[in-house]
Amino acid sequence: MNLADLHALDWRDPVIGFALFGSRARGDEDAESDYDILVWSEGAQPHTIRLGMHAMAVYPCEYLLRKAEQGDLFASHLVHEAKEIWDPHSLLKALRTRFSPKQSYGREIDLAAQIGKFVLQFHHRMPSVLINRRIAWVVRTILIAKAMEIGAPVFATRELTSLLCAPEAIPLIALKDDAEFRPDGLIGLGSFLSRWAAPWNEAASTIDEFRKLFEASENDFGLQTIKSLRNVTDATDYR
């Protein structure tokens, strides 16, 4: 998909820029890697669009600039690895100028660990693809947050696991491209959380209790995970 193709798409709101990020921007992609494209929008809410191998992350300009000032992990991805496709307003430059890393990413680690604990408890209610993607996301998010805390914004799996001496995370992150259920993935996730996350002191043991935990901690990705469960009759539609 070239620039003309991107412009030709029927966008919900006016679009003011495009950038490439992820493995294809870093240069460590494989043949199956998605094309991750940031879409700078004049809309009100961030959302995602998937078109084949193209994953569009649509973000309002001011929203993303505020996230950069707050040291957001996704903003950090963009600041350190994104490449301009079409950027007439120099938005990537503004993002980099306004980015301010946090001293601690403990909150991000805790939110990811919440989702990891949820997967361990309710994987039997989840499609295999969702289990694998959540395991990969939890592990990678925690490691990226740990790397940011030591001032090393690293995102490629091999570099990240080497930096933090976490070779056990490599097969867990690789699960994102696996459609088969892997019991070893759950075992690995449990071991990973024991090493990298704080001890689990929450009382949540049912879907409803996890939902309340996610609401209280403003864990939007956790709430999205509940929405994705199979046959969950007590899961409220939060969006």
Side-chain angles (χ1 to χ4, degrees):
M1 186 177 293
N2 58 31
L3 180 57
D5 294 328
L6 289 170
H7 278 296
L9 294 175
D10 186 17
W11 299 105
R12 180 191 305 174
D13 302 294
V15 166
I16 54 177
F18 301 108
L20 179 70
F21 68 98
S23 61
R24 291 192 180 272
R26 292 191 301 269
D28 63 341
E29 78 278 8
D30 57 39
E32 303 300 318
S33 296
D34 288 338
Y35 290 84
D36 296 303
I37 297 175
L38 170 68
V39 182
W40 293 94
S41 167
E42 293 184 340
Q45 295 293 330
H47 59 281
T48 58
I49 301 171
R50 175 169 286 278
L51 296 172
M53 293 181 66
H54 292 78
M56 318 285 190
V58 185
Y59 277 81
C61 176
E62 288 303 320
Y63 174 94
L64 199 49
L65 291 172
R66 287 196 303 272
K67 288 292 187 180
E69 292 172 345
Q70 297 164 5
D72 178 77
L73 282 182
F74 179 61
S76 178
H77 274 266
L78 301 174
V79 163
H80 293 101
E81 70 180 21
K83 294 183 177 180
E84 172 188 324
I85 297 175
W86 174 65
D87 191 7
H89 303 288
S90 300
L91 294 170
L92 272 181
K93 181 178 179 180
L95 194 75
R96 291 178 175 125
T97 298
R98 291 171 66 167
F99 182 74
S100 177
K102 300 179 182 181
Q103 290 187 338
S104 171
Y105 283 85
R107 171 173 163 75
E108 287 78 2
I109 293 168
D110 289 345
L111 295 183
Q114 287 178 4
I115 295 173
K117 291 295 185 179
F118 181 86
V119 171
L120 290 174
Q121 191 145 346
F122 295 103
H123 61 88
H124 59 286
R125 303 286 290 275
M126 302 169 68
S128 297
V129 169
L130 182 63
I131 296 170
N132 292 341
R133 287 180 179 173
R134 288 300 186 269
I135 290 174
W137 182 88
V138 166
V139 169
R140 190 163 180 263
T141 296
I142 290 174
L143 291 183
I144 289 171
K146 291 287 187 180
M148 287 293 293
E149 288 186 333
I150 61 173
V154 176
F155 307 97
T157 298
R158 294 288 176 180
E159 294 178 17
L160 188 61
T161 55
S162 175
L163 172 72
L164 297 172
C165 300
E168 73 280 5
I170 295 174
L172 299 177
I173 296 173
L175 287 173
K176 69 182 179 63
D177 298 317
D178 196 336
E180 298 291 328
F181 172 63
R182 309 289 182 186
D184 286 352
L186 294 171
I187 296 171
L189 175 62
S191 298
F192 178 87
L193 292 176
S194 295
R195 177 183 177 188
W196 293 100
W200 183 250
N201 296 317
E202 302 292 343
S205 60
T206 67
I207 291 174
D208 191 57
E209 287 171 347
F210 266 98
R211 180 167 50 225
K212 291 176 181 177
L213 173 63
F214 292 156
E215 287 177 329
S217 57
E218 298 182 348
N219 192 336
D220 292 339
F221 204 45
L223 293 173
Q224 289 178 30
T225 302
I226 288 179
K227 286 176 58 178
S228 302
L229 293 184
R230 292 185 301 207
N231 303 318
V232 179
T233 58
D234 63 339
T236 302
D237 186 353
Y238 289 89
R239 297 246 180 198

